[in-house]
Structures are given as structure tokens and as C-alpha cells.
Amino acid sequence: MRNFLLLGLTIALLGVQEIKAQEHRFDPPWNTPPESALNFTVPGIDNIPDLYGDIENPQLTVFFAGNQFMVVDDLLASFKQEYPQYERIFVETLPPGILAKQIKGGSITIGNLRITHKPDIYTASKRAINEMADYFSHTQVYCYNNICLMVPKGNPANISTLNDLGNDKVRISMPNPQWEGIGEQIKASYRKAGGEQLVKKIMEDKVNDGSTYLTKIHHRESPMRVLYG
């Protein structure tokens, strides 16, 4: 009985140590939170970083492509300064493919929260916008961007070209084409750089052995995987 109790105590203590060892120092949200009477954000548990602003009866609802969370603070501040009548704005910064499914289905559930807001504005790639053209009265190109590689500080794996990503020792984190259209563009870049051999290596072989990780929410998972190593 004594041995059993000691073993139980050891397991319990190890469990506590593992919980304390969890790191949240880089966890989102990375935006400036709106002012409120109470800010109850618990890193790693209650943080909902891709829902922003006033969810109750918003005057304007915007669905941004996920990686545009970086401009939300400055953009909304400037917008409200120019259009002060818009006091309650609700923003989502989820992957465009997820936002498209939300628009088509009329709702989304995140954790225990169900959202049924319809966007006044939806931003996404040209292909995604074309596929959603029937849902909006007007579409307009407003920016262009380039695909780039993000590596840990100092570039320890000496990545210089896309072909370097075929190395068995290189771990890759990239958008899953199933969720984000940019994933197909990345595959096309692999094909242009190294042909079907590189595409197969990265998108099949390395996915199977775990060295290529296909994200569900690339603009959060990939930076965190780099930050936490």
C-alpha cells in the first residue's frame, strides 16, 4: 500500500510539473485588446485571438484573411477616426477558406461560442473572392503580396532556396491547401523550383514522416512553431 501511495504521489507531482512547464510567453492574442471593464484573457485557454472588437450588435462586420490580423489595430483606429459613427465593429481573422464556409453555411462555432454574423466586408485571395462573387455586390483588388519563407533567428538550417525544404532534417510548417488557397500557390512554387519530385517530397513523404506540418490556421500555428522551436 505504501509503494502504491508513493507511486500515486509521484505521478501527481509529475503532472503538476508538466503543467507548470507549459510555455505561453509567445501565445496570442498579439493585437492590442479593446478597452473593457474587465480583461479576462488566460494564455493557452481563453484567448480567442481571431475574434476582435464588439460581437454584440456590431454596426460593421469584417472578415479579414487571417494574416491581416497584423493591420487590424492601426486600420480600425484610422477608420473610426474618419468614420466616428461606427462605434461597434466586429472583426474575424480566420483562414479565408474557413470564412468562406462560414459565409455559405451562415454560422461558425469556436469552442462553445456560436457566431451567426454575416460580413459586410470579406477579404481573401483573388481566386477565393471570385468563388464568392455571388455573395457580394462589389469586389475590388486592394493589395498584392509575395510568398516568403520565415525561419528561426539566425537561419540555423541555412535555408536559401525552396529546394532546401526537401532536406529530411528540415521541418516545415505551411498552410493546408484544404483550408487555405495559398497552399496551392505554395505547391505551385515547389513545382516550379524542383518539379514533381520536390512536391512529392514535401507534400507526401515529409507529411507522412511528420517533418511537414500542414496547419489549420497558418497565421497562428506557423509563427508559434518557429517561436517555440
Side-chain angles (χ1 to χ4, degrees):
M1 177 63 72
R2 181 182 178 185
N3 290 339
F4 175 78
L5 290 174
L6 286 174
L7 178 61
L9 180 60
T10 302
I11 292 173
L13 288 174
L14 285 174
V16 171
Q17 288 175 349
E18 288 176 0
I19 292 173
K20 288 184 177 179
Q22 290 179 347
E23 284 196 85
H24 297 296
R25 57 198 172 107
F26 297 127
D27 282 17
W30 298 320
N31 293 87
T32 302
E35 292 185 5
S36 182
L38 175 65
N39 186 335
F40 184 71
T41 301
V42 182
I45 299 175
D46 281 319
N47 54 10
I48 51 172
D50 288 300
L51 305 181
Y52 186 96
D54 291 283
I55 197 169
E56 176 65 23
N57 191 28
Q59 296 164 290
L60 180 68
T61 298
V62 184
F63 286 6
F64 280 120
N67 60 10
Q68 295 175 30
F69 77 89
M70 292 177 279
V71 305
V72 166
D73 288 351
D74 293 339
L75 183 61
L76 291 191
S78 297
F79 181 84
K80 286 184 174 182
Q81 187 173 5
E82 188 165 349
Y83 301 96
Q85 65 270 32
Y86 289 94
E87 298 178 355
R88 300 183 310 280
I89 300 176
F90 175 64
V91 172
E92 294 185 17
T93 54
L94 296 167
I98 299 299
L99 294 174
K101 290 182 179 181
Q102 179 182 355
I103 293 169
K104 292 176 181 178
S107 64
I108 188 173
T109 296
I110 301 176
N112 297 318
L113 177 66
R114 183 171 183 265
I115 302 169
T116 58
H117 291 325
K118 295 181 179 179
D120 299 295
I121 300 170
Y122 167 61
T123 72
S125 67
K126 182 178 180 181
R127 188 183 73 173
I129 290 294
N130 288 340
E131 292 175 354
M132 299 292 292
D134 292 342
Y135 289 85
F136 297 93
S137 60
H138 175 72
T139 61
Q140 181 174 333
V141 176
Y142 69 99
C143 72
Y144 295 90
N145 61 1
N146 296 315
I147 297 175
C148 62
L149 297 177
M150 180 169 59
V151 299
K153 186 176 181 179
N155 191 13
N158 295 315
I159 303 297
S160 60
T161 72
L162 288 177
N163 284 292
D164 294 333
L165 302 185
N167 189 315
D168 291 336
K169 296 182 179 180
V170 172
R171 293 180 298 158
I172 302 169
S173 181
M174 63 166 282
N176 190 330
Q178 181 180 352
W179 306 106
E180 301 189 59
I182 191 67
E184 290 295 342
Q185 292 180 250
I186 294 173
K187 284 176 62 178
S189 297
Y190 294 156
R191 188 172 292 110
K192 184 176 180 180
E196 292 299 332
Q197 182 178 357
L198 184 62
V199 174
K200 181 180 182 301
K201 179 68 175 180
I202 295 174
M203 300 302 298
E204 295 182 27
D205 299 345
K206 289 172 69 71
V207 167
N208 290 334
D209 68 25
S211 57
T212 291
Y213 176 74
L214 301 179
T215 65
K216 284 190 175 181
I217 186 160
H218 177 66
H219 65 280
R220 301 295 183 185
E221 290 180 276
S222 291
M224 290 178 70
R225 286 170 65 83
V226 171
L227 288 167
Y228 286 116

